[in-house]
Amino acid sequence: MASISEWYAGKNVLITGATGFMGKVLVEKLLRSCPEVNALYILVRPKAGQSMSERVQDMMKSKLFDRVREDNPEFHQKIIPISSELTQPGLAISPEDVQTLTSCINIVFHCAATIRFDEPLKHALQLNVIATQQLLSLAQQMKHLQAFIHISTAYANCNRRHIDEVIYPPPVEPKKLIDSLEWMDDNIILDITPRLIGDRPNTYTYTKALAECVVQQESGKLNIGIIRPSIVGASWQEPFPGWIDNFNGPSGVFIAAGKGILRTMRASNDAVADLIPVDVVINLTLAAGWYTAVHRPKTALVYNCTTGGINPFHWGEIEHHVMSTFKRNPLEQAFRRPNANITSNYLINQYWILVSHKFPALLYDLFLRLTGQKPQMMRIFNRLHKAIGLLEYFSSQDWEWNSDNMNMLMSHLSAEDRKTFNFDVRQLNWPEYIENYCIGTKKYVLNEDMSDIPAARQHLRKLRNIRYTFNTVLLVFIWRVFIARSQMARNIWYFVVSLCFKFLSYFRASSTLTQ
């Protein structure tokens, strides 16, 4: 049987979401580990004043492609952009491009989706469900298609505590929902959204569950595979450790903690943090594409791509390693020294939000106003609280995912393929991974130079001295206002001091006797 890279040789691949985080890693991995692949057709839309070709050129200039660039400086010739818009009928693909795709594509990787948790339902439905439906319709016309791989999420069925590798019945019939929302006013949809999504936390998980159902219904005679990654984080090994290019999910939380902005977060210290490195997801995706095309399973195979049941790591452990990493490798121009804490208690969390977030933000904004600058810190904290609030559901509880299909797939790989397309998370060293992740946010998201770490450490020492000075002034102020003006307060103060003195004297005497 051909190896994975040998199977992809000469193949034409269609990728949606190729300019997104996972899509870019998929493109890079295919070009580097399957150098004989014929062509990668990627669906791209113009965005933010950039044309389709400009977006692709910017993507290929990324440091992510440095290893590919060394091996093959002309790698860009294998990337063929196709103009497309997921919100438009037929994905807005021209008739000429449709003819090209239907005549040559061998495998489809559908990575495109909106990952915003608070996306309006109608828009989330359009991007995650209707676009999937239309892509499947296009796939049905492809004459040489051997596999269709759909990227879902491990949280599509987060209303269940134990999640098997099966497609569960949808919360509602997708077609009925699409038809109903077609004529509804946006305000009406907004009002009924909580009732529609029911016990799911957001429109993202809701529409991803619907998309899985659509894949099952529309598959026809297609060979289908569904990948369900959990919380996708920075790369573990490939193309190099710690690569990340966005603030989504844990990345933004890590950066906020490293900058000293985030001081408290509501989560369970003992809950499993089901992070999955992006390169693990992509290796599994490519292996699943090979297996689906070669073995042609009779039904769509679902792969739960998670770590919690295989190599668990907890939110409390992540907090410790993130803080220790940013103290050794601080971010530039930190707002405060890194010192974030996790608590599962709502009242304690609200207290620390008031004391450690809102009060300092008000003081800093007041300082900015007095110096003629625009206040911004309260706005930053409000955005941070909103982002963390959306993550609370996933950081406060555990799920159990069955991973039999992932283990089965691993057993079908040769020793060489297991090494080249490694998705065995049992080998993952969490402390090392979290450290690389944090350093990756510094280098690749914030574009900070590691040579500037001594200056960043000096800045942290300066912040420490400012804090000590502030605490001293505050103590003197409290003394002058409360203790110095009240005989009772002075008596209590002297009593506490005398108790401390007696305790120290006793401790010193005990130590002397022991010696």
Side-chain angles (χ1 to χ4, degrees):
M1 188 180 296
S3 69
I4 293 177
S5 58
E6 287 172 348
W7 183 84
Y8 281 101
K11 297 295 189 295
N12 293 303
V13 182
L14 175 64
I15 302 173
T16 69
T19 56
F21 175 50
M22 285 180 57
K24 279 187 274 196
V25 179
L26 176 59
V27 169
E28 191 277 339
K29 177 66 176 180
L30 266 170
L31 291 170
R32 179 167 49 84
S33 296
C34 308
E36 299 304 315
V37 67
N38 187 58
L40 306 184
Y41 291 82
I42 62 174
L43 300 189
V44 186
R45 67 182 176 90
K47 182 181 178 183
Q50 281 187 310
S51 67
M52 176 185 69
S53 58
E54 287 172 339
R55 288 191 69 192
V56 175
Q57 286 171 11
D58 282 352
M59 179 185 83
M60 291 187 292
K61 290 176 185 175
S62 169
K63 182 177 174 59
L64 173 69
F65 292 92
D66 282 357
R67 287 181 61 183
V68 177
R69 199 175 289 111
E70 288 176 12
D71 296 338
N72 178 16
E74 303 300 318
F75 75 93
H76 60 275
Q77 294 181 359
K78 292 195 173 189
I79 299 176
I80 303 173
I82 300 289
S83 180
S84 176
E85 174 56 71
L86 297 185
T87 60
Q88 299 299 316
L91 306 179
I93 302 174
S94 70
E96 295 79 15
D97 287 335
V98 167
Q99 186 174 358
T100 300
L101 296 176
T102 54
S103 63
C104 76
I105 294 299
N106 303 113
I107 184 168
V108 175
F109 292 106
H110 181 35
C111 306
T114 175
I115 57 171
R116 282 183 54 190
F117 287 172
D118 56 349
E119 191 80 71
L121 179 58
K122 194 170 186 177
H123 194 56
L125 195 72
Q126 177 66 56
L127 290 170
N128 292 348
V129 182
I130 299 174
T132 301
Q133 206 171 41
Q134 296 189 349
L135 185 65
L136 283 161
S137 177
L138 177 64
Q140 299 275 15
Q141 304 171 46
M142 294 177 180
K143 301 176 180 64
H144 306 288
L145 188 68
Q146 298 180 48
F148 183 103
I149 305 299
H150 172 70
I151 307 298
S152 183
T153 171
Y155 297 100
N157 302 285
C158 58
N159 55 324
R160 300 170 180 268
R161 282 293 161 265
H162 181 86
I163 301 167
D164 287 314
E165 292 174 307
V166 299
I167 300 173
Y168 289 97
V172 66
E173 181 59 38
K175 188 177 186 309
K176 289 181 180 178
L177 182 64
I178 293 167
D179 292 341
S180 299
L181 297 189
E182 189 68 34
W183 57 267
M184 284 189 192
D185 181 76
D186 288 347
N187 291 327
I188 297 175
I189 297 173
L190 189 64
D191 290 339
I192 66 171
T193 294
R195 190 171 295 179
L196 282 172
I197 65 176
D199 51 3
R200 285 180 171 81
N202 50 52
T203 57
Y204 170 69
T205 57
Y206 180 74
T207 53
K208 284 304 236 178
L210 294 178
E212 286 191 3
C213 175
V214 164
V215 170
Q216 187 179 46
Q217 290 176 345
E218 304 288 331
S219 59
K221 295 181 180 179
L222 300 179
N223 299 316
I224 299 285
I226 296 177
I227 313 296
R228 287 182 183 157
S230 49
I231 304 171
V232 182
S235 61
W236 169 27
Q237 296 171 321
E238 299 179 81
F240 38 80
W243 188 80
I244 183 78
D245 72 342
N246 61 76
F247 290 90
N248 297 331
S251 307
V253 174
F254 291 176
I255 290 170
K259 286 282 189 181
I261 296 172
L262 176 67
R263 285 298 177 92
T264 183
M265 175 178 169
R266 192 173 176 214
S268 172
N269 280 286
D270 298 325
V272 172
D274 212 300
L275 296 184
I276 188 79
V278 63
D279 48 333
V280 170
V281 182
I282 296 309
N283 285 338
L284 173 64
T285 299
L286 289 171
W290 162 82
Y291 182 86
T292 304
V294 171
H295 292 272
R296 300 177 178 272
K298 293 179 180 179
T299 59
L301 286 185
V302 178
Y303 302 88
N304 287 336
C305 187
T306 61
T307 56
I310 305 168
N311 185 3
F313 204 60
H314 303 88
W315 287 107
E317 295 173 288
I318 284 184
E319 174 213 320
H320 168 73
H321 289 291
V322 168
M323 290 301 96
S324 61
T325 299
F326 280 131
K327 285 174 182 176
R328 294 193 306 273
N329 307 280
L331 301 179
E332 296 174 18
Q333 297 302 311
F335 177 60
R336 291 177 293 194
R337 286 174 61 81
N339 188 26
N341 291 293
I342 285 176
T343 177
S344 57
N345 187 288
Y346 174 79
L347 292 177
I348 292 175
N349 184 57
Q350 290 301 309
Y351 167 77
W352 285 116
I353 284 176
L354 182 65
V355 172
S356 294
H357 288 183
K358 293 187 176 180
F359 181 63
L362 286 170
L363 286 180
Y364 192 75
D365 279 351
L366 177 62
F367 168 76
L368 291 176
R369 287 181 188 276
L370 292 175
T371 55
Q373 300 177 65
K374 186 178 178 181
Q376 59 177 351
M377 195 52 66
M378 185 55 79
R379 178 171 52 85
I380 290 172
F381 273 110
N382 287 337
R383 287 174 59 189
L384 177 64
H385 293 153
K386 182 180 179 182
I388 291 175
L390 295 171
L391 291 173
E392 267 183 25
Y393 179 90
F394 304 97
S395 59
S396 302
Q397 51 192 318
D398 293 313
W399 288 265
E400 293 179 9
W401 284 280
N402 181 298
S403 55
D404 289 346
N405 286 343
M406 195 165 78
N407 294 331
M408 175 277 297
L409 179 58
M410 196 181 302
S411 70
H412 277 79
L413 301 188
S414 66
E416 187 62 32
D417 279 344
R418 287 189 196 185
K419 184 179 177 181
T420 306
F421 299 90
N422 183 20
F423 54 88
D424 185 359
V425 293
R426 292 173 298 183
Q427 303 170 16
L428 180 61
N429 181 308
W430 280 109
E432 181 184 351
Y433 173 71
I434 295 299
E435 180 172 352
N436 288 331
Y437 195 154
C438 293
I439 293 173
T441 62
K442 177 180 175 68
K443 291 166 65 176
Y444 310 123
V445 179
L446 300 177
N447 295 312
E448 294 181 3
D449 199 318
M450 296 298 286
S451 63
D452 293 331
I453 283 181
R457 288 175 181 157
Q458 179 63 33
H459 180 68
L460 286 192
R461 287 193 287 271
K462 179 181 175 183
L463 291 175
R464 180 197 60 194
N465 295 336
I466 291 172
R467 188 188 70 178
Y468 287 164
T469 303
F470 176 80
N471 289 345
T472 303
V473 170
L474 184 63
L475 185 63
V476 171
F477 175 78
I478 292 172
W479 170 269
R480 295 297 302 167
V481 171
F482 297 104
I483 297 178
R485 296 188 180 186
S486 168
Q487 183 62 44
M488 181 178 290
R490 283 200 299 273
N491 291 340
I492 294 171
W493 172 258
Y494 293 140
F495 175 71
V496 171
V497 170
S498 65
L499 274 180
C500 292
F501 179 76
K502 287 177 181 177
F503 174 77
L504 289 171
S505 300
Y506 173 77
F507 181 76
R508 191 176 301 160
S510 300
S511 301
T512 305
L513 289 172
T514 303
Q515 291 173 359

